[in-house]
Amino acid sequence: MNPVSRSVIPLTLTLSAIALTSACTTGTAGPNGTPGAAPAAGAAQIPGMPDPRAEPAPGVTAAILFDLGPIVTDTNGFTLYRYDKDTVNPPKSNCAETCSRTWIPAKAGGDLVVTGLDRALVGTVTRDDGTEQVTLAGWPLYRNADDAMPGNTGGQGVDDAWFPVKPDGTKVLLTADTWQADDLGI
């Protein structure tokens, strides 16, 4: 399945873009406006866009994709997914080794940033390798390594088991899911 490019504009990315533009600085910016590292030689980097190879600050953010509705992203705006083969009660990730190279666990740690979600639904689970992973409504969250830009949802429906996650922890089943701004309280 080819990655699909979609527009996603979470509030934090919009505010970050405005701040970067108004500051008139050069180079790339890292988390919270700190100077970022230059992209590797030969790597295409769009000014103001997060580097897809960079590890985001631990956290989750509610966003709206115009064709999918409300979804959850990491702090860099990349779509987060849930895996139907994981368990919720108790939370357990069943994606390890080879699987976790394509489906990157959303790492927890320090001050977990939670924006636009019910904080009571956000938690963590200890993976078999000892790392902490973010959960939403008990579901471990992942990023698809093939999603090259914020808003990509190339993992939608892969193996009939991987789905973008909505802010309440349920999965996005179809691109035709209907939603309204009321779903986010707007």
Side-chain angles (χ1 to χ4, degrees), residues 102-168:
T102 300
W103 299 97
I104 304 161
K107 292 186 180 170
D111 290 329
L112 188 64
V113 177
V114 177
T115 308
L117 302 169
D118 180 352
R119 180 70 166 116
L121 294 176
V122 179
T124 63
V125 63
T126 303
R127 296 175 52 78
D128 289 342
D129 65 6
T131 61
E132 291 292 312
Q133 182 174 0
V134 177
T135 63
L136 181 62
W139 290 99
L141 300 180
Y142 306 84
R143 200 182 116 203
N144 183 337
D146 295 331
D147 285 352
M149 296 178 60
N152 285 166
T153 56
Q156 168 75 21
V158 169
D159 297 330
D160 291 323
W162 293 96
F163 299 93
V165 65
K166 295 179 185 182
D168 64 359

Short mmCIF file of all heavy atoms in Angstrom, two decimals, residues 102-168:
data_model
loop_
_atom_site.label_atom_id
_atom_site.label_comp_id
_atom_site.label_asym_id
_atom_site.label_seq_id
_atom_site.Cartn_x
_atom_site.Cartn_y
_atom_site.Cartn_z
N THR A 102 9.37 -1.40 11.52
CA THR A 102 8.40 -0.73 10.65
C THR A 102 7.40 0.06 11.47
O THR A 102 7.02 1.16 11.09
CB THR A 102 7.65 -1.76 9.78
OG1 THR A 102 8.61 -2.46 8.98
CG2 THR A 102 6.63 -1.08 8.88
N TRP A 103 6.99 -0.50 12.59
CA TRP A 103 6.01 0.12 13.47
C TRP A 103 6.73 0.55 14.74
O TRP A 103 6.92 -0.23 15.66
CB TRP A 103 4.87 -0.85 13.76
CG TRP A 103 4.16 -1.22 12.49
CD1 TRP A 103 4.37 -2.32 11.72
CD2 TRP A 103 3.18 -0.44 11.82
NE1 TRP A 103 3.56 -2.28 10.62
CE2 TRP A 103 2.82 -1.13 10.65
CE3 TRP A 103 2.57 0.78 12.10
CZ2 TRP A 103 1.87 -0.65 9.75
CZ3 TRP A 103 1.62 1.26 11.21
CH2 TRP A 103 1.28 0.55 10.05
N ILE A 104 7.18 1.79 14.75
CA ILE A 104 8.03 2.33 15.80
C ILE A 104 7.18 2.66 17.03
O ILE A 104 6.26 3.48 16.96
CB ILE A 104 8.76 3.59 15.30
CG1 ILE A 104 9.55 3.26 14.04
CG2 ILE A 104 9.64 4.18 16.39
CD1 ILE A 104 9.94 4.47 13.22
N PRO A 105 7.48 2.03 18.17
CA PRO A 105 6.72 2.33 19.39
C PRO A 105 6.83 3.80 19.78
O PRO A 105 7.91 4.38 19.72
CB PRO A 105 7.37 1.44 20.45
CG PRO A 105 8.05 0.36 19.67
CD PRO A 105 8.49 0.99 18.39
N ALA A 106 5.70 4.41 20.14
CA ALA A 106 5.70 5.80 20.63
C ALA A 106 6.27 5.76 22.04
O ALA A 106 5.63 5.25 22.96
CB ALA A 106 4.29 6.37 20.61
N LYS A 107 7.48 6.29 22.19
CA LYS A 107 8.17 6.20 23.47
C LYS A 107 7.61 7.19 24.49
O LYS A 107 7.28 8.32 24.17
CB LYS A 107 9.66 6.43 23.28
CG LYS A 107 10.31 5.30 22.52
CD LYS A 107 11.79 5.44 22.45
CE LYS A 107 12.35 4.26 21.66
NZ LYS A 107 13.74 4.43 21.35
N ALA A 108 7.54 6.71 25.71
CA ALA A 108 7.11 7.55 26.83
C ALA A 108 8.37 7.96 27.59
O ALA A 108 9.42 7.36 27.45
CB ALA A 108 6.18 6.76 27.74
N GLY A 109 8.24 8.98 28.39
CA GLY A 109 9.36 9.37 29.22
C GLY A 109 9.22 10.81 29.68
O GLY A 109 8.55 11.61 29.04
N GLY A 110 9.86 11.11 30.78
CA GLY A 110 9.86 12.47 31.31
C GLY A 110 8.47 13.06 31.39
O GLY A 110 7.52 12.39 31.77
N ASP A 111 8.37 14.31 31.00
CA ASP A 111 7.08 14.99 30.97
C ASP A 111 6.38 14.67 29.66
O ASP A 111 6.69 15.24 28.62
CB ASP A 111 7.26 16.51 31.10
CG ASP A 111 7.71 16.92 32.48
OD1 ASP A 111 7.33 16.23 33.44
OD2 ASP A 111 8.44 17.91 32.60
N LEU A 112 5.45 13.75 29.72
CA LEU A 112 4.70 13.34 28.54
C LEU A 112 3.76 14.46 28.13
O LEU A 112 2.90 14.87 28.90
CB LEU A 112 3.92 12.06 28.86
CG LEU A 112 3.23 11.35 27.72
CD1 LEU A 112 4.25 10.83 26.71
CD2 LEU A 112 2.42 10.19 28.25
N VAL A 113 3.93 14.98 26.92
CA VAL A 113 3.11 16.07 26.41
C VAL A 113 1.78 15.50 25.93
O VAL A 113 1.76 14.60 25.09
CB VAL A 113 3.83 16.80 25.25
CG1 VAL A 113 2.94 17.89 24.68
CG2 VAL A 113 5.16 17.37 25.71
N VAL A 114 0.66 16.01 26.45
CA VAL A 114 -0.67 15.58 26.03
C VAL A 114 -1.45 16.83 25.64
O VAL A 114 -1.69 17.70 26.48
CB VAL A 114 -1.41 14.81 27.16
CG1 VAL A 114 -2.81 14.43 26.72
CG2 VAL A 114 -0.61 13.59 27.59
N THR A 115 -1.84 16.91 24.37
CA THR A 115 -2.52 18.09 23.85
C THR A 115 -3.82 17.69 23.17
O THR A 115 -3.81 16.90 22.22
CB THR A 115 -1.63 18.85 22.83
OG1 THR A 115 -0.36 19.10 23.42
CG2 THR A 115 -2.26 20.15 22.40
N GLY A 116 -4.94 18.21 23.66
CA GLY A 116 -6.22 17.99 23.02
C GLY A 116 -6.85 16.63 23.28
O GLY A 116 -7.79 16.25 22.59
N LEU A 117 -6.32 15.88 24.24
CA LEU A 117 -6.84 14.56 24.58
C LEU A 117 -7.20 14.52 26.06
O LEU A 117 -6.65 15.28 26.85
CB LEU A 117 -5.78 13.47 24.33
CG LEU A 117 -5.21 13.36 22.94
CD1 LEU A 117 -4.01 12.43 22.94
CD2 LEU A 117 -6.24 12.84 21.98
N ASP A 118 -8.06 13.57 26.42
CA ASP A 118 -8.37 13.35 27.82
C ASP A 118 -7.15 12.69 28.46
O ASP A 118 -6.82 11.55 28.14
CB ASP A 118 -9.61 12.45 27.94
CG ASP A 118 -10.01 12.17 29.38
OD1 ASP A 118 -9.27 12.53 30.31
OD2 ASP A 118 -11.08 11.55 29.54
N ARG A 119 -6.47 13.41 29.33
CA ARG A 119 -5.23 12.92 29.96
C ARG A 119 -5.45 11.59 30.68
O ARG A 119 -4.55 10.76 30.75
CB ARG A 119 -4.71 13.99 30.94
CG ARG A 119 -3.43 13.61 31.66
CD ARG A 119 -2.28 13.62 30.66
NE ARG A 119 -0.99 13.58 31.31
CZ ARG A 119 -0.13 12.59 31.20
NH1 ARG A 119 -0.40 11.55 30.45
NH2 ARG A 119 1.04 12.63 31.80
N ALA A 120 -6.66 11.35 31.17
CA ALA A 120 -6.96 10.10 31.88
C ALA A 120 -6.88 8.88 30.96
O ALA A 120 -6.69 7.76 31.43
CB ALA A 120 -8.34 10.18 32.52
N LEU A 121 -7.00 9.08 29.64
CA LEU A 121 -6.91 7.98 28.69
C LEU A 121 -5.48 7.63 28.30
O LEU A 121 -5.22 6.60 27.69
CB LEU A 121 -7.70 8.30 27.41
CG LEU A 121 -9.21 8.42 27.54
CD1 LEU A 121 -9.83 8.84 26.20
CD2 LEU A 121 -9.82 7.12 28.03
N VAL A 122 -4.53 8.53 28.63
CA VAL A 122 -3.14 8.36 28.21
C VAL A 122 -2.35 7.68 29.33
O VAL A 122 -2.44 8.07 30.49
CB VAL A 122 -2.50 9.72 27.87
CG1 VAL A 122 -1.04 9.56 27.46
CG2 VAL A 122 -3.30 10.41 26.75
N GLY A 123 -1.61 6.65 28.97
CA GLY A 123 -0.80 5.93 29.94
C GLY A 123 0.45 5.39 29.28
O GLY A 123 0.84 5.82 28.19
N THR A 124 1.08 4.44 29.95
CA THR A 124 2.28 3.81 29.41
C THR A 124 2.23 2.32 29.69
O THR A 124 1.51 1.85 30.56
CB THR A 124 3.57 4.40 30.02
OG1 THR A 124 3.58 4.13 31.43
CG2 THR A 124 3.69 5.89 29.76
N VAL A 125 3.02 1.58 28.93
CA VAL A 125 3.19 0.15 29.14
C VAL A 125 4.68 -0.14 28.99
O VAL A 125 5.36 0.49 28.18
CB VAL A 125 2.35 -0.68 28.14
CG1 VAL A 125 2.77 -0.47 26.70
CG2 VAL A 125 2.38 -2.15 28.49
N THR A 126 5.18 -1.07 29.80
CA THR A 126 6.57 -1.49 29.67
C THR A 126 6.64 -2.61 28.65
O THR A 126 5.98 -3.64 28.79
CB THR A 126 7.13 -1.96 31.03
OG1 THR A 126 6.98 -0.91 31.98
CG2 THR A 126 8.59 -2.35 30.91
N ARG A 127 7.44 -2.39 27.60
CA ARG A 127 7.62 -3.38 26.54
C ARG A 127 8.55 -4.50 27.01
O ARG A 127 9.25 -4.35 28.01
CB ARG A 127 8.19 -2.71 25.29
CG ARG A 127 7.24 -1.67 24.69
CD ARG A 127 7.87 -0.93 23.51
NE ARG A 127 8.42 -1.82 22.50
CZ ARG A 127 7.69 -2.46 21.58
NH1 ARG A 127 6.38 -2.30 21.55
NH2 ARG A 127 8.29 -3.24 20.70
N ASP A 128 8.57 -5.60 26.30
CA ASP A 128 9.43 -6.73 26.65
C ASP A 128 10.90 -6.35 26.70
O ASP A 128 11.67 -6.94 27.45
CB ASP A 128 9.22 -7.90 25.67
CG ASP A 128 7.87 -8.58 25.85
OD1 ASP A 128 7.23 -8.39 26.91
OD2 ASP A 128 7.44 -9.28 24.91
N ASP A 129 11.31 -5.33 25.91
CA ASP A 129 12.72 -4.90 25.93
C ASP A 129 13.00 -3.90 27.06
O ASP A 129 14.12 -3.40 27.18
CB ASP A 129 13.12 -4.31 24.58
CG ASP A 129 12.38 -3.03 24.22
OD1 ASP A 129 11.61 -2.49 25.05
OD2 ASP A 129 12.56 -2.56 23.07
N GLY A 130 11.99 -3.59 27.87
CA GLY A 130 12.18 -2.71 29.02
C GLY A 130 11.88 -1.24 28.76
O GLY A 130 11.86 -0.45 29.70
N THR A 131 11.63 -0.86 27.50
CA THR A 131 11.32 0.54 27.21
C THR A 131 9.85 0.81 27.52
O THR A 131 9.02 -0.09 27.52
CB THR A 131 11.62 0.90 25.74
OG1 THR A 131 10.81 0.09 24.88
CG2 THR A 131 13.09 0.73 25.41
N GLU A 132 9.56 2.09 27.78
CA GLU A 132 8.19 2.52 28.07
C GLU A 132 7.55 3.02 26.77
O GLU A 132 8.16 3.78 26.03
CB GLU A 132 8.18 3.64 29.11
CG GLU A 132 8.60 3.18 30.49
CD GLU A 132 7.59 2.25 31.13
OE1 GLU A 132 6.38 2.55 31.12
OE2 GLU A 132 8.02 1.19 31.64
N GLN A 133 6.31 2.60 26.53
CA GLN A 133 5.56 2.98 25.34
C GLN A 133 4.27 3.68 25.74
O GLN A 133 3.62 3.29 26.71
CB GLN A 133 5.25 1.73 24.51
CG GLN A 133 4.52 2.00 23.21
CD GLN A 133 4.38 0.74 22.37
OE1 GLN A 133 4.81 -0.35 22.74
NE2 GLN A 133 3.76 0.90 21.21
N VAL A 134 3.89 4.72 25.00
CA VAL A 134 2.66 5.47 25.26
C VAL A 134 1.47 4.60 24.88
O VAL A 134 1.48 3.91 23.86
CB VAL A 134 2.63 6.79 24.46
CG1 VAL A 134 1.31 7.53 24.68
CG2 VAL A 134 3.80 7.67 24.82
N THR A 135 0.41 4.66 25.71
CA THR A 135 -0.85 3.99 25.39
C THR A 135 -1.97 5.02 25.39
O THR A 135 -1.87 6.07 26.02
CB THR A 135 -1.20 2.90 26.43
OG1 THR A 135 -1.38 3.50 27.72
CG2 THR A 135 -0.14 1.82 26.49
N LEU A 136 -3.03 4.71 24.66
CA LEU A 136 -4.24 5.53 24.65
C LEU A 136 -5.42 4.59 24.83
O LEU A 136 -5.60 3.66 24.01
CB LEU A 136 -4.36 6.32 23.35
CG LEU A 136 -5.58 7.23 23.25
CD1 LEU A 136 -5.55 8.32 24.34
CD2 LEU A 136 -5.66 7.89 21.88
N ALA A 137 -6.18 4.77 25.89
CA ALA A 137 -7.28 3.88 26.25
C ALA A 137 -6.78 2.44 26.33
O ALA A 137 -7.49 1.50 25.96
CB ALA A 137 -8.44 4.03 25.27
N GLY A 138 -5.53 2.27 26.77
CA GLY A 138 -4.92 0.96 26.92
C GLY A 138 -4.20 0.44 25.69
O GLY A 138 -3.42 -0.50 25.78
N TRP A 139 -4.42 1.04 24.52
CA TRP A 139 -3.79 0.57 23.29
C TRP A 139 -2.39 1.16 23.15
O TRP A 139 -2.23 2.38 23.12
CB TRP A 139 -4.61 0.99 22.06
CG TRP A 139 -5.90 0.26 21.95
CD1 TRP A 139 -7.13 0.70 22.33
CD2 TRP A 139 -6.08 -1.05 21.42
NE1 TRP A 139 -8.07 -0.25 22.08
CE2 TRP A 139 -7.46 -1.35 21.53
CE3 TRP A 139 -5.22 -2.00 20.89
CZ2 TRP A 139 -7.99 -2.55 21.09
CZ3 TRP A 139 -5.76 -3.21 20.47
CH2 TRP A 139 -7.12 -3.48 20.56
N PRO A 140 -1.34 0.33 23.02
CA PRO A 140 0.00 0.84 22.73
C PRO A 140 -0.04 1.58 21.38
O PRO A 140 -0.74 1.16 20.46
CB PRO A 140 0.86 -0.42 22.65
CG PRO A 140 0.12 -1.42 23.51
CD PRO A 140 -1.34 -1.12 23.25
N LEU A 141 0.71 2.69 21.28
CA LEU A 141 0.72 3.50 20.07
C LEU A 141 2.05 3.37 19.32
O LEU A 141 3.10 3.21 19.93
CB LEU A 141 0.47 4.97 20.42
CG LEU A 141 -0.85 5.27 21.12
CD1 LEU A 141 -0.97 6.76 21.41
CD2 LEU A 141 -2.04 4.79 20.29
N TYR A 142 1.96 3.49 17.99
CA TYR A 142 3.11 3.31 17.11
C TYR A 142 3.09 4.36 16.00
O TYR A 142 2.04 4.85 15.63
CB TYR A 142 3.06 1.95 16.41
CG TYR A 142 2.94 0.78 17.33
CD1 TYR A 142 1.68 0.37 17.81
CD2 TYR A 142 4.06 0.06 17.72
CE1 TYR A 142 1.56 -0.72 18.65
CE2 TYR A 142 3.93 -1.04 18.56
CZ TYR A 142 2.69 -1.42 19.03
OH TYR A 142 2.57 -2.49 19.86
N ARG A 143 4.27 4.59 15.43
CA ARG A 143 4.40 5.40 14.23
C ARG A 143 4.85 4.49 13.10
O ARG A 143 5.66 3.59 13.33
CB ARG A 143 5.43 6.50 14.45
CG ARG A 143 5.26 7.63 13.45
CD ARG A 143 6.29 8.69 13.63
NE ARG A 143 7.05 8.67 12.40
CZ ARG A 143 8.27 9.11 12.27
NH1 ARG A 143 8.90 9.60 13.28
NH2 ARG A 143 8.87 9.04 11.12
N ASN A 144 4.34 4.70 11.90
CA ASN A 144 4.74 3.90 10.75
C ASN A 144 6.00 4.51 10.15
O ASN A 144 6.00 5.67 9.76
CB ASN A 144 3.61 3.88 9.72
CG ASN A 144 3.91 3.01 8.52
OD1 ASN A 144 5.05 2.72 8.20
ND2 ASN A 144 2.86 2.57 7.86
N ALA A 145 7.07 3.72 10.05
CA ALA A 145 8.34 4.21 9.52
C ALA A 145 8.21 4.68 8.07
O ALA A 145 9.01 5.49 7.61
CB ALA A 145 9.41 3.13 9.63
N ASP A 146 7.21 4.20 7.34
CA ASP A 146 7.02 4.59 5.95
C ASP A 146 6.26 5.90 5.78
O ASP A 146 6.18 6.42 4.67
CB ASP A 146 6.29 3.48 5.18
CG ASP A 146 7.14 2.21 5.09
OD1 ASP A 146 8.37 2.31 5.08
OD2 ASP A 146 6.54 1.12 5.02
N ASP A 147 5.70 6.44 6.85
CA ASP A 147 5.05 7.76 6.77
C ASP A 147 6.15 8.81 6.76
O ASP A 147 6.82 9.04 7.78
CB ASP A 147 4.12 7.99 7.97
CG ASP A 147 2.81 7.21 7.86
OD1 ASP A 147 2.55 6.61 6.80
OD2 ASP A 147 2.06 7.20 8.86
N ALA A 148 6.37 9.43 5.61
CA ALA A 148 7.49 10.35 5.43
C ALA A 148 7.22 11.77 5.93
O ALA A 148 8.16 12.51 6.20
CB ALA A 148 7.88 10.40 3.95
N MET A 149 5.95 12.14 6.04
CA MET A 149 5.60 13.51 6.43
C MET A 149 4.44 13.50 7.41
O MET A 149 3.64 12.56 7.42
CB MET A 149 5.17 14.31 5.20
CG MET A 149 6.23 14.51 4.15
SD MET A 149 5.57 15.42 2.73
CE MET A 149 5.06 16.93 3.49
N PRO A 150 4.34 14.57 8.22
CA PRO A 150 3.14 14.69 9.05
C PRO A 150 1.90 14.60 8.17
O PRO A 150 1.86 15.15 7.08
CB PRO A 150 3.28 16.08 9.67
CG PRO A 150 4.74 16.35 9.67
CD PRO A 150 5.26 15.70 8.41
N GLY A 151 0.90 13.87 8.64
CA GLY A 151 -0.34 13.73 7.89
C GLY A 151 -0.40 12.51 7.01
O GLY A 151 -1.47 12.13 6.56
N ASN A 152 0.75 11.85 6.76
CA ASN A 152 0.72 10.61 5.99
C ASN A 152 0.02 9.53 6.81
O ASN A 152 0.19 9.47 8.03
CB ASN A 152 2.12 10.13 5.65
CG ASN A 152 2.80 10.91 4.55
OD1 ASN A 152 4.01 10.79 4.38
ND2 ASN A 152 2.09 11.72 3.79
N THR A 153 -0.75 8.71 6.15
CA THR A 153 -1.44 7.60 6.82
C THR A 153 -1.29 6.33 5.98
O THR A 153 -2.26 5.59 5.77
CB THR A 153 -2.93 7.92 7.06
OG1 THR A 153 -3.54 8.24 5.82
CG2 THR A 153 -3.10 9.04 8.07
N GLY A 154 -0.08 6.07 5.52
CA GLY A 154 0.18 4.91 4.69
C GLY A 154 -0.03 3.59 5.41
O GLY A 154 -0.15 2.54 4.78
N GLY A 155 -0.09 3.62 6.75
CA GLY A 155 -0.30 2.40 7.51
C GLY A 155 -1.76 2.03 7.69
O GLY A 155 -2.08 0.99 8.25
N GLN A 156 -2.66 2.88 7.20
CA GLN A 156 -4.11 2.66 7.34
C GLN A 156 -4.49 1.29 6.79
O GLN A 156 -4.33 1.02 5.61
CB GLN A 156 -4.88 3.76 6.61
CG GLN A 156 -6.36 3.50 6.42
CD GLN A 156 -7.16 3.69 7.69
OE1 GLN A 156 -6.73 4.36 8.59
NE2 GLN A 156 -8.31 3.08 7.75
N GLY A 157 -4.96 0.40 7.67
CA GLY A 157 -5.49 -0.89 7.25
C GLY A 157 -4.46 -1.95 6.88
O GLY A 157 -4.85 -3.03 6.42
N VAL A 158 -3.16 -1.68 7.08
CA VAL A 158 -2.13 -2.66 6.73
C VAL A 158 -2.39 -3.96 7.49
O VAL A 158 -2.64 -3.96 8.69
CB VAL A 158 -0.71 -2.11 7.01
CG1 VAL A 158 0.34 -3.19 6.90
CG2 VAL A 158 -0.39 -0.96 6.07
N ASP A 159 -2.33 -5.06 6.77
CA ASP A 159 -2.56 -6.40 7.33
C ASP A 159 -3.90 -6.51 8.05
O ASP A 159 -4.07 -7.38 8.92
CB ASP A 159 -1.42 -6.81 8.27
CG ASP A 159 -0.08 -6.91 7.56
OD1 ASP A 159 -0.06 -7.24 6.37
OD2 ASP A 159 0.95 -6.65 8.22
N ASP A 160 -4.83 -5.65 7.72
CA ASP A 160 -6.13 -5.61 8.41
C ASP A 160 -5.97 -5.55 9.92
O ASP A 160 -6.81 -6.04 10.67
CB ASP A 160 -7.00 -6.81 8.03
CG ASP A 160 -7.46 -6.76 6.58
OD1 ASP A 160 -7.74 -5.64 6.10
OD2 ASP A 160 -7.54 -7.82 5.94
N ALA A 161 -4.86 -4.92 10.38
CA ALA A 161 -4.58 -4.89 11.82
C ALA A 161 -4.06 -3.55 12.32
O ALA A 161 -4.04 -3.31 13.52
CB ALA A 161 -3.58 -5.99 12.18
N TRP A 162 -3.62 -2.67 11.42
CA TRP A 162 -3.03 -1.39 11.81
C TRP A 162 -3.94 -0.25 11.39
O TRP A 162 -4.33 -0.16 10.22
CB TRP A 162 -1.66 -1.21 11.14
CG TRP A 162 -0.64 -2.17 11.65
CD1 TRP A 162 -0.28 -3.36 11.10
CD2 TRP A 162 0.14 -2.01 12.83
NE1 TRP A 162 0.68 -3.96 11.86
CE2 TRP A 162 0.96 -3.15 12.93
CE3 TRP A 162 0.24 -1.02 13.81
CZ2 TRP A 162 1.87 -3.32 13.98
CZ3 TRP A 162 1.14 -1.20 14.84
CH2 TRP A 162 1.94 -2.33 14.92
N PHE A 163 -4.25 0.64 12.35
CA PHE A 163 -5.19 1.73 12.08
C PHE A 163 -4.77 2.99 12.82
O PHE A 163 -4.35 2.92 13.97
CB PHE A 163 -6.60 1.33 12.52
CG PHE A 163 -7.12 0.12 11.80
CD1 PHE A 163 -6.95 -1.14 12.35
CD2 PHE A 163 -7.73 0.24 10.57
CE1 PHE A 163 -7.40 -2.27 11.69
CE2 PHE A 163 -8.19 -0.89 9.91
CZ PHE A 163 -8.02 -2.15 10.46
N PRO A 164 -4.93 4.17 12.16
CA PRO A 164 -4.75 5.41 12.93
C PRO A 164 -5.71 5.40 14.11
O PRO A 164 -6.79 4.80 14.04
CB PRO A 164 -5.13 6.51 11.92
CG PRO A 164 -4.93 5.90 10.58
CD PRO A 164 -5.30 4.43 10.77
N VAL A 165 -5.32 6.05 15.18
CA VAL A 165 -6.13 6.04 16.39
C VAL A 165 -6.82 7.39 16.55
O VAL A 165 -6.25 8.44 16.25
CB VAL A 165 -5.29 5.65 17.63
CG1 VAL A 165 -4.22 6.67 17.92
CG2 VAL A 165 -6.15 5.40 18.84
N LYS A 166 -8.06 7.34 16.99
CA LYS A 166 -8.83 8.56 17.28
C LYS A 166 -8.53 9.02 18.70
O LYS A 166 -8.03 8.24 19.51
CB LYS A 166 -10.33 8.26 17.14
CG LYS A 166 -10.78 7.91 15.74
CD LYS A 166 -12.28 7.61 15.73
CE LYS A 166 -12.75 7.13 14.38
NZ LYS A 166 -14.21 6.89 14.38
N PRO A 167 -8.85 10.27 19.04
CA PRO A 167 -8.56 10.79 20.38
C PRO A 167 -9.21 10.02 21.54
O PRO A 167 -8.74 10.12 22.66
CB PRO A 167 -9.08 12.23 20.33
CG PRO A 167 -8.95 12.61 18.89
CD PRO A 167 -9.30 11.35 18.14
N ASP A 168 -10.23 9.21 21.26
CA ASP A 168 -10.83 8.42 22.34
C ASP A 168 -10.25 7.00 22.41
O ASP A 168 -10.69 6.19 23.21
CB ASP A 168 -12.35 8.36 22.19
CG ASP A 168 -12.81 7.65 20.92
OD1 ASP A 168 -11.96 7.20 20.11
OD2 ASP A 168 -14.04 7.56 20.72
#
